[in-house]
Amino acid sequence: MINRLISNTIKQRFFRGKAIIVVGPRQVGKTTLLKMLATDYNSKVLVWNCDEPDVRRKLTDPTSTMLGAETAGYDIVFIDEAQRIQNIGITLKLLIDNYPEKQVVVTGSSAIELSNSINEPLTGRKYEYVLFPFSAEELILENSMQEERRLLERRLIYGSYPEVVNLPGEERETLTSLVSSYLYKDIFSFQDVRKPEIIEQLLQALALQVGSEVSFNELGRLLGLNSITVQRYIDLLEKSYVVFHLRSFSRNVRSELKKSRKIYFYDNGVRNALIGDYKPLALRTDTGALWENYIISERMKHNAYTNFYGKSYFWRTQQQQEVDYIEDYDGVLHAYEFKWSGTKQPRLTDTFAKNYPDHTFTVVNPDNYQDFVKGI
């Protein structure tokens, strides 16, 4: 069992009279995390798995009296895959309002459906967290800095999903199973996604554009869709925690790109599985893009787990001057350049430095990346 960074934060919220909601992509260990948390308490735990038909019937439109009878004698109530319950938000509200001494903990793989169901009924009654694939920080704490440095190329190619990490030698089989619509299948039953194959084609196109600016119009022409539909599908993929975006930073310089965006994958292995490319780095032409995706996704995990309050961007001008990544907080722009290899030391472009004098600049490479992903 690899300890998850978010576990201590969640434990500090136990027994405060609010539900704890844990969402995130499929197969990242949400159920395992909650079972581990339960062992830390000398409490009786009730587990409802909503994949079971009888559980779904029980939790659909129950009365508070029935919920009291079902949970009698239990201190903690786990509801797994809660998005499968119709009107789950009302059920949770009844539990929390009538039995505040019990800790209700809820997981859901479909943040789309779950959020829609619980947001209004649970206003002021919940703590919500996202669990991602293993972070570099978690793996460093488990394996040591030295060991993770040795495994860095493997992480760039196969990613950090728990099953991938825990079953070395079976990475390709695991990732193939994961991306064969399982990872994002919730999208197919949500809203109006009539052609599931379009989602996979869109993801493949995004995988080939990692590190580059993305145009909804160009993607639409490629896939035979209008730009509004492309934008909606990408929004659904973000809500399913498959991809995330960075917007371009713009404040002072006329030639800055003001409405551009880049899209990254939360896991390198998923990205490589979508295009069927597991070649070693020495044989690849996209190593720089893999490094950029990996290091930014790891920073996103760290920021999510530590309640980072700043904003994240990239920066580029029409003349192709660029900064890979920027964090804006405390009145300072913290600029980063990501460099996998090479003897030439990157420097910050003069245009950025002169227009934004309140800045820091750091080059992140394989020798110092561990400080970056740990927020040091």
PDB file of all heavy atoms in Angstrom, residues 47 56 90 99 101 119 147 155 178 183 187 189 199 215 255 317 328-329 366:
ATOM      1  N   VAL A  47     -20.338  -0.345   4.475  1.00  0.00           N
ATOM      2  CA  VAL A  47     -19.936  -0.068   3.096  1.00  0.00           C
ATOM      3  C   VAL A  47     -21.097  -0.398   2.163  1.00  0.00           C
ATOM      4  O   VAL A  47     -21.599  -1.536   2.161  1.00  0.00           O
ATOM      5  CB  VAL A  47     -18.697  -0.884   2.690  1.00  0.00           C
ATOM      6  CG1 VAL A  47     -18.330  -0.594   1.234  1.00  0.00           C
ATOM      7  CG2 VAL A  47     -17.524  -0.560   3.605  1.00  0.00           C
ATOM      8  N   ARG A  56     -28.565  -0.029  -4.957  1.00  0.00           N
ATOM      9  CA  ARG A  56     -29.155   1.087  -5.714  1.00  0.00           C
ATOM     10  C   ARG A  56     -30.631   1.247  -5.379  1.00  0.00           C
ATOM     11  O   ARG A  56     -31.121   2.369  -5.207  1.00  0.00           O
ATOM     12  CB  ARG A  56     -28.961   0.870  -7.217  1.00  0.00           C
ATOM     13  CG  ARG A  56     -27.512   0.976  -7.666  1.00  0.00           C
ATOM     14  CD  ARG A  56     -27.408   1.259  -9.150  1.00  0.00           C
ATOM     15  NE  ARG A  56     -27.934   0.175  -9.966  1.00  0.00           N
ATOM     16  CZ  ARG A  56     -27.226  -0.875 -10.363  1.00  0.00           C
ATOM     17  NH1 ARG A  56     -25.944  -0.978  -9.988  1.00  0.00           N
ATOM     18  NH2 ARG A  56     -27.751  -1.806 -11.123  1.00  0.00           N
ATOM     19  N   ILE A  90     -30.021  14.107  -2.498  1.00  0.00           N
ATOM     20  CA  ILE A  90     -31.097  14.165  -1.502  1.00  0.00           C
ATOM     21  C   ILE A  90     -30.884  13.097  -0.437  1.00  0.00           C
ATOM     22  O   ILE A  90     -31.079  13.336   0.766  1.00  0.00           O
ATOM     23  CB  ILE A  90     -32.465  13.988  -2.184  1.00  0.00           C
ATOM     24  CG1 ILE A  90     -32.691  15.090  -3.230  1.00  0.00           C
ATOM     25  CG2 ILE A  90     -33.579  13.989  -1.138  1.00  0.00           C
ATOM     26  CD1 ILE A  90     -32.690  16.488  -2.658  1.00  0.00           C
ATOM     27  N   TYR A  99     -28.526  12.474  10.928  1.00  0.00           N
ATOM     28  CA  TYR A  99     -27.577  11.660  11.706  1.00  0.00           C
ATOM     29  C   TYR A  99     -26.184  12.286  11.618  1.00  0.00           C
ATOM     30  O   TYR A  99     -25.231  11.694  11.098  1.00  0.00           O
ATOM     31  CB  TYR A  99     -27.569  10.213  11.184  1.00  0.00           C
ATOM     32  CG  TYR A  99     -28.968   9.644  11.093  1.00  0.00           C
ATOM     33  CD1 TYR A  99     -29.633   9.575   9.863  1.00  0.00           C
ATOM     34  CD2 TYR A  99     -29.641   9.225  12.236  1.00  0.00           C
ATOM     35  CE1 TYR A  99     -30.939   9.096   9.778  1.00  0.00           C
ATOM     36  CE2 TYR A  99     -30.945   8.747  12.170  1.00  0.00           C
ATOM     37  CZ  TYR A  99     -31.586   8.687  10.944  1.00  0.00           C
ATOM     38  OH  TYR A  99     -32.873   8.220  10.876  1.00  0.00           O
ATOM     39  N   GLU A 101     -23.916  12.674  13.670  1.00  0.00           N
ATOM     40  CA  GLU A 101     -22.835  12.011  14.412  1.00  0.00           C
ATOM     41  C   GLU A 101     -22.119  10.958  13.563  1.00  0.00           C
ATOM     42  O   GLU A 101     -21.024  10.500  13.914  1.00  0.00           O
ATOM     43  CB  GLU A 101     -23.397  11.352  15.682  1.00  0.00           C
ATOM     44  CG  GLU A 101     -24.208  10.075  15.459  1.00  0.00           C
ATOM     45  CD  GLU A 101     -25.641  10.339  14.980  1.00  0.00           C
ATOM     46  OE1 GLU A 101     -25.995  11.524  14.797  1.00  0.00           O
ATOM     47  OE2 GLU A 101     -26.392   9.363  14.797  1.00  0.00           O
ATOM     48  N   ASN A 119     -24.343  18.964  -5.738  1.00  0.00           N
ATOM     49  CA  ASN A 119     -23.924  20.339  -5.451  1.00  0.00           C
ATOM     50  C   ASN A 119     -24.984  21.148  -4.713  1.00  0.00           C
ATOM     51  O   ASN A 119     -24.707  21.782  -3.694  1.00  0.00           O
ATOM     52  CB  ASN A 119     -23.534  21.051  -6.749  1.00  0.00           C
ATOM     53  CG  ASN A 119     -22.105  20.735  -7.161  1.00  0.00           C
ATOM     54  OD1 ASN A 119     -21.322  20.237  -6.353  1.00  0.00           O
ATOM     55  ND2 ASN A 119     -21.769  21.005  -8.400  1.00  0.00           N
ATOM     56  N   GLU A 147      15.699   5.979  -6.255  1.00  0.00           N
ATOM     57  CA  GLU A 147      15.002   4.948  -7.006  1.00  0.00           C
ATOM     58  C   GLU A 147      14.061   5.562  -8.037  1.00  0.00           C
ATOM     59  O   GLU A 147      13.972   5.084  -9.175  1.00  0.00           O
ATOM     60  CB  GLU A 147      14.218   4.042  -6.051  1.00  0.00           C
ATOM     61  CG  GLU A 147      13.493   2.899  -6.730  1.00  0.00           C
ATOM     62  CD  GLU A 147      14.411   1.899  -7.403  1.00  0.00           C
ATOM     63  OE1 GLU A 147      15.635   1.942  -7.151  1.00  0.00           O
ATOM     64  OE2 GLU A 147      13.905   1.082  -8.190  1.00  0.00           O
ATOM     65  N   ARG A 155       8.344   6.183 -15.936  1.00  0.00           N
ATOM     66  CA  ARG A 155       7.188   7.025 -15.606  1.00  0.00           C
ATOM     67  C   ARG A 155       6.770   7.870 -16.818  1.00  0.00           C
ATOM     68  O   ARG A 155       5.582   8.084 -17.052  1.00  0.00           O
ATOM     69  CB  ARG A 155       7.509   7.951 -14.433  1.00  0.00           C
ATOM     70  CG  ARG A 155       7.996   7.263 -13.173  1.00  0.00           C
ATOM     71  CD  ARG A 155       6.948   6.392 -12.534  1.00  0.00           C
ATOM     72  NE  ARG A 155       7.415   5.833 -11.275  1.00  0.00           N
ATOM     73  CZ  ARG A 155       7.331   4.561 -10.941  1.00  0.00           C
ATOM     74  NH1 ARG A 155       6.769   3.678 -11.761  1.00  0.00           N
ATOM     75  NH2 ARG A 155       7.776   4.125  -9.774  1.00  0.00           N
ATOM     76  N   LEU A 178      -7.305   0.127 -19.850  1.00  0.00           N
ATOM     77  CA  LEU A 178      -7.774   1.373 -19.249  1.00  0.00           C
ATOM     78  C   LEU A 178      -8.340   2.327 -20.286  1.00  0.00           C
ATOM     79  O   LEU A 178      -9.381   2.962 -20.077  1.00  0.00           O
ATOM     80  CB  LEU A 178      -6.627   2.037 -18.484  1.00  0.00           C
ATOM     81  CG  LEU A 178      -6.951   3.290 -17.682  1.00  0.00           C
ATOM     82  CD1 LEU A 178      -7.905   2.961 -16.540  1.00  0.00           C
ATOM     83  CD2 LEU A 178      -5.665   3.911 -17.129  1.00  0.00           C
ATOM     84  N   LEU A 183     -11.863   4.345 -19.278  1.00  0.00           N
ATOM     85  CA  LEU A 183     -11.464   5.535 -18.541  1.00  0.00           C
ATOM     86  C   LEU A 183     -12.480   6.662 -18.692  1.00  0.00           C
ATOM     87  O   LEU A 183     -12.727   7.416 -17.767  1.00  0.00           O
ATOM     88  CB  LEU A 183     -10.088   6.003 -19.019  1.00  0.00           C
ATOM     89  CG  LEU A 183      -9.469   7.202 -18.308  1.00  0.00           C
ATOM     90  CD1 LEU A 183      -9.214   6.901 -16.844  1.00  0.00           C
ATOM     91  CD2 LEU A 183      -8.175   7.620 -18.988  1.00  0.00           C
ATOM     92  N   ILE A 187     -18.733   9.457 -20.073  1.00  0.00           N
ATOM     93  CA  ILE A 187     -19.103  10.522 -21.002  1.00  0.00           C
ATOM     94  C   ILE A 187     -20.155  10.033 -21.987  1.00  0.00           C
ATOM     95  O   ILE A 187     -21.039  10.777 -22.405  1.00  0.00           O
ATOM     96  CB  ILE A 187     -17.856  11.024 -21.760  1.00  0.00           C
ATOM     97  CG1 ILE A 187     -16.861  11.659 -20.783  1.00  0.00           C
ATOM     98  CG2 ILE A 187     -18.228  12.012 -22.853  1.00  0.00           C
ATOM     99  CD1 ILE A 187     -15.547  12.036 -21.415  1.00  0.00           C
ATOM    100  N   SER A 189     -22.685   8.155 -21.730  1.00  0.00           N
ATOM    101  CA  SER A 189     -24.073   8.141 -21.267  1.00  0.00           C
ATOM    102  C   SER A 189     -24.518   9.510 -20.756  1.00  0.00           C
ATOM    103  O   SER A 189     -25.607   9.655 -20.220  1.00  0.00           O
ATOM    104  CB  SER A 189     -24.240   7.104 -20.143  1.00  0.00           C
ATOM    105  OG  SER A 189     -23.395   7.420 -19.054  1.00  0.00           O
ATOM    106  N   ILE A 199     -14.823  10.611 -29.512  1.00  0.00           N
ATOM    107  CA  ILE A 199     -14.083  10.941 -28.306  1.00  0.00           C
ATOM    108  C   ILE A 199     -12.674  10.376 -28.388  1.00  0.00           C
ATOM    109  O   ILE A 199     -11.692  11.070 -28.064  1.00  0.00           O
ATOM    110  CB  ILE A 199     -14.802  10.394 -27.053  1.00  0.00           C
ATOM    111  CG1 ILE A 199     -16.154  11.096 -26.838  1.00  0.00           C
ATOM    112  CG2 ILE A 199     -13.925  10.554 -25.815  1.00  0.00           C
ATOM    113  CD1 ILE A 199     -16.050  12.555 -26.450  1.00  0.00           C
ATOM    114  N   SER A 215      -6.245  24.454 -31.125  1.00  0.00           N
ATOM    115  CA  SER A 215      -7.294  25.249 -31.759  1.00  0.00           C
ATOM    116  C   SER A 215      -8.550  24.399 -31.880  1.00  0.00           C
ATOM    117  O   SER A 215      -8.534  23.336 -32.501  1.00  0.00           O
ATOM    118  CB  SER A 215      -6.846  25.717 -33.149  1.00  0.00           C
ATOM    119  OG  SER A 215      -7.948  26.181 -33.899  1.00  0.00           O
ATOM    120  N   SER A 255       2.041  41.886 -28.224  1.00  0.00           N
ATOM    121  CA  SER A 255       2.171  40.706 -29.085  1.00  0.00           C
ATOM    122  C   SER A 255       1.893  39.387 -28.361  1.00  0.00           C
ATOM    123  O   SER A 255       2.014  38.313 -28.951  1.00  0.00           O
ATOM    124  CB  SER A 255       3.589  40.649 -29.679  1.00  0.00           C
ATOM    125  OG  SER A 255       4.559  40.519 -28.644  1.00  0.00           O
ATOM    126  N   THR A 317       4.440  34.681 -27.313  1.00  0.00           N
ATOM    127  CA  THR A 317       4.161  35.851 -28.150  1.00  0.00           C
ATOM    128  C   THR A 317       4.008  35.408 -29.607  1.00  0.00           C
ATOM    129  O   THR A 317       4.326  34.272 -29.972  1.00  0.00           O
ATOM    130  CB  THR A 317       5.292  36.888 -28.068  1.00  0.00           C
ATOM    131  OG1 THR A 317       6.473  36.342 -28.676  1.00  0.00           O
ATOM    132  CG2 THR A 317       5.582  37.266 -26.627  1.00  0.00           C
ATOM    133  N   ASP A 328       1.292  32.303 -10.830  1.00  0.00           N
ATOM    134  CA  ASP A 328       1.083  33.684 -10.402  1.00  0.00           C
ATOM    135  C   ASP A 328       0.516  33.680  -8.991  1.00  0.00           C
ATOM    136  O   ASP A 328      -0.633  33.295  -8.776  1.00  0.00           O
ATOM    137  CB  ASP A 328       0.112  34.362 -11.371  1.00  0.00           C
ATOM    138  CG  ASP A 328      -0.159  35.818 -11.013  1.00  0.00           C
ATOM    139  OD1 ASP A 328       0.515  36.350 -10.103  1.00  0.00           O
ATOM    140  OD2 ASP A 328      -1.051  36.422 -11.652  1.00  0.00           O
ATOM    141  N   TYR A 329       1.343  34.061  -8.006  1.00  0.00           N
ATOM    142  CA  TYR A 329       0.854  34.156  -6.630  1.00  0.00           C
ATOM    143  C   TYR A 329       1.736  35.112  -5.840  1.00  0.00           C
ATOM    144  O   TYR A 329       2.898  35.338  -6.166  1.00  0.00           O
ATOM    145  CB  TYR A 329       0.793  32.783  -5.949  1.00  0.00           C
ATOM    146  CG  TYR A 329       2.106  32.045  -5.842  1.00  0.00           C
ATOM    147  CD1 TYR A 329       2.935  32.184  -4.734  1.00  0.00           C
ATOM    148  CD2 TYR A 329       2.519  31.175  -6.855  1.00  0.00           C
ATOM    149  CE1 TYR A 329       4.135  31.494  -4.631  1.00  0.00           C
ATOM    150  CE2 TYR A 329       3.713  30.482  -6.767  1.00  0.00           C
ATOM    151  CZ  TYR A 329       4.511  30.646  -5.648  1.00  0.00           C
ATOM    152  OH  TYR A 329       5.709  29.966  -5.554  1.00  0.00           O
ATOM    153  N   PRO A 366      15.905  16.769 -15.284  1.00  0.00           N
ATOM    154  CA  PRO A 366      15.881  15.518 -14.515  1.00  0.00           C
ATOM    155  C   PRO A 366      16.728  15.532 -13.251  1.00  0.00           C
ATOM    156  O   PRO A 366      16.523  14.692 -12.365  1.00  0.00           O
ATOM    157  CB  PRO A 366      16.404  14.481 -15.517  1.00  0.00           C
ATOM    158  CG  PRO A 366      16.018  15.037 -16.851  1.00  0.00           C
ATOM    159  CD  PRO A 366      16.205  16.525 -16.710  1.00  0.00           C
TER     160      PRO A 366
END
